[in-house]
Amino acid sequence: MIGESQRPVFPFSAIVGQAEMKLCLLLNVIDPKIGGVMIMGDRGTGKSTTVRSLVDLLPEIKVVVGDPFNSDPEDPESMSMDVRERAARGEPLPVAATKITMVDLPLGATEDRVCGTIDIEKALTEGVKAFEPGLLATANRGILYVDEVNLLDDHLVDVLLDSAASGWNTVEREGISISHPARFILIGSGNPEEGELRPQLLDRFGMHAQVGTVRDAELRVKIVEERARFDRDPKVFRESYRAEQEKLQRQIASARSSLASVQIDHDLRVKISKVCAELNVDGLRGDIVTNRAAKALAALKGRDKVTAEDIATVIPNCLRHRLRKDPLESIDSGLLVIEKFYEVFS
């Protein structure tokens, strides 16, 4: 569990309803290569609460001690330049296990705070590249969460697009250039009333979850009561969900370790691509993400083979934000995806 000295977080398993959003988040923790999730929905539907409650469930990863970029001691691709040089010299790298980090990107953040800064004075006087790492460095191999992502400044969106595309962040200042790995799960949430997201940024999110307000009166009462219990005594409330949280943690850990052995039949792959092609989805990202998400779901359910049912569960979330917008179309794009799915898979 999270250190109780920190601000107590509402437990993930205590969140009522919102199954689609919860599933998208869990699949991304199991397979970070899915590429994050965009959560769109009404105000006050528990979007930020759910994302922040993920902190408790995040698994541990191995990192090089004292490295600000959470370098992976076994994978040269996600090592910072400094660690890579030390490894090349044959130095033993001290390794520690640490929880995956979750970094909040505030809307008002400056570009320097996000990318990091180069200390020009130190560079000129001492001749060393003095780099002050930013939020992207902290988020490497972790989660970067942007609340109200559709209100984010355009220049920060460009920075995010850049590092999400290449997996590296490069800072150029006064003729000095520094690069470091910046591979993160990008999670964004927002309210569609406040404006649409730029298509390039939307396409960077692997999955897209729609969140609606709960209409069932009984469920609403349950949500209000649970929230009141949490506010009254967070420690006792978290304790009452400890067993469920630990069970979910074990499930995630076993899904992560068995993910590599999950198989998906060739004809299922062909059908996925056929759905994408017939829906006129731009690019191949939709096919790739649907395959990954279906495998992660099978792993979460403890199976080593993907079924058509797994694909039906994830395909609307993987494709709904990739369809071309038709201003005259009133039907929800998620329903269009499901209709096409049943047409192809029957």
Side-chain angles (χ1 to χ4, degrees):
M1 300 294 274
I2 198 168
E4 293 297 341
S5 58
Q6 289 169 292
R7 198 167 59 180
V9 181
F10 198 82
F12 190 83
S13 20
I15 289 163
V16 179
Q18 313 301 21
E20 181 182 319
M21 160 168 67
K22 285 163 78 174
L23 181 67
C24 289
L25 290 168
L26 287 179
L27 296 182
N28 270 285
V29 174
I30 293 167
D31 184 0
K33 287 197 172 119
I34 287 172
V37 54
M38 174 68 207
I39 303 163
M40 275 297 200
D42 311 329
R43 295 178 291 270
T45 43
K47 300 187 294 287
S48 334
T49 306
T50 310
V51 174
R52 294 201 170 99
S53 71
L54 207 56
V55 166
D56 284 344
L57 303 174
L58 296 176
E60 290 195 329
I61 50 171
K62 283 185 182 156
V63 297
V64 176
V65 178
D67 180 68
F69 310 107
N70 305 320
S71 291
D72 185 343
E74 284 144 20
D75 175 22
E77 268 301 291
S78 53
M79 282 181 185
S80 64
M81 296 296 188
D82 176 42
V83 172
R84 198 181 290 191
E85 282 164 16
R86 281 163 59 194
R89 287 200 299 268
E91 271 184 46
L93 299 171
V95 176
T98 174
K99 270 189 107 112
I100 287 179
T101 47
M102 183 181 236
V103 178
D104 261 309
L105 179 68
L107 287 180
T110 61
E111 197 173 327
D112 281 353
R113 180 69 193 100
V114 176
C115 298
T117 51
I118 295 171
D119 189 339
I120 300 293
E121 194 181 346
K122 207 168 185 182
L124 293 175
T125 53
E126 298 172 31
V128 290
K129 283 187 179 182
F131 182 60
E132 202 48 61
L135 293 175
L136 291 180
T138 320
N140 185 38
R141 299 180 69 215
I143 292 175
L144 186 67
Y145 175 46
V146 193
D147 198 4
E148 308 295 351
V149 66
N150 40 354
L151 301 180
L152 197 62
D153 274 352
D154 260 2
H155 66 278
L156 285 184
V157 171
D158 296 338
V159 166
L160 282 187
L161 278 174
D162 204 24
S163 42
S166 63
W168 283 80
N169 171 41
T170 305
V171 182
E172 303 271 358
R173 294 276 186 285
E174 320 291 329
I176 300 172
S177 169
I178 287 183
S179 295
H180 69 79
R183 297 192 169 178
F184 43 80
I185 305 172
L186 187 58
I187 298 180
S189 62
N191 182 349
E193 289 174 5
E194 286 164 353
E196 289 295 319
L197 215 57
R198 278 169 53 187
Q200 307 95 305
L201 185 59
L202 199 51
D203 192 51
R204 282 281 157 224
F205 289 99
M207 301 178 85
H208 186 286
Q210 289 257 343
V211 185
T213 306
V214 177
R215 298 283 171 223
D216 177 16
E218 289 290 326
L219 263 184
R220 288 171 82 121
V221 169
K222 188 178 177 194
I223 294 169
V224 172
E225 283 174 352
E226 294 283 78
R227 184 72 223 187
R229 266 181 60 208
F230 175 75
D231 288 341
R232 212 169 29 245
D233 192 339
K235 221 167 180 176
V236 171
F237 184 79
R238 283 171 60 80
E239 198 55 50
S240 69
Y241 277 95
R242 180 180 283 253
E244 279 182 57
Q245 291 279 87
E246 284 174 355
K247 185 182 162 195
L248 197 49
Q249 264 173 322
R250 285 194 298 274
Q251 222 180 331
I252 290 171
S254 86
R256 274 174 72 101
S257 58
S258 68
L259 182 66
S261 60
V262 176
Q263 296 299 319
I264 178 165
D265 284 343
H266 181 70
D267 66 316
L268 287 182
R269 287 174 193 237
V270 172
K271 283 177 174 171
I272 289 174
S273 292
K274 196 172 173 199
V275 172
C276 294
E278 291 189 12
L279 283 169
N280 285 331
V281 173
D282 288 337
L284 290 173
R285 223 173 252 143
D287 310 47
I288 294 168
V289 170
T290 308
N291 277 290
R292 282 191 189 285
K295 280 183 176 177
L297 181 58
L300 182 63
K301 290 183 173 173
R303 293 196 313 266
D304 59 357
K305 268 197 109 125
V306 172
T307 64
E309 195 185 323
D310 295 332
I311 298 167
T313 309
V314 299
I315 201 165
N317 304 112
C318 298
L319 300 184
R320 97 160 25 112
H321 56 302
R322 302 178 197 280
L323 302 191
R324 295 221 163 161
K325 283 268 185 286
D326 180 357
L328 302 175
E329 189 68 82
S330 58
I331 185 170
D332 173 55
S333 45
L335 292 175
L336 284 176
V337 175
I338 273 295
E339 278 176 16
K340 184 59 73 181
F341 169 83
Y342 284 119
E343 191 184 303
V344 170
F345 275 75
S346 61

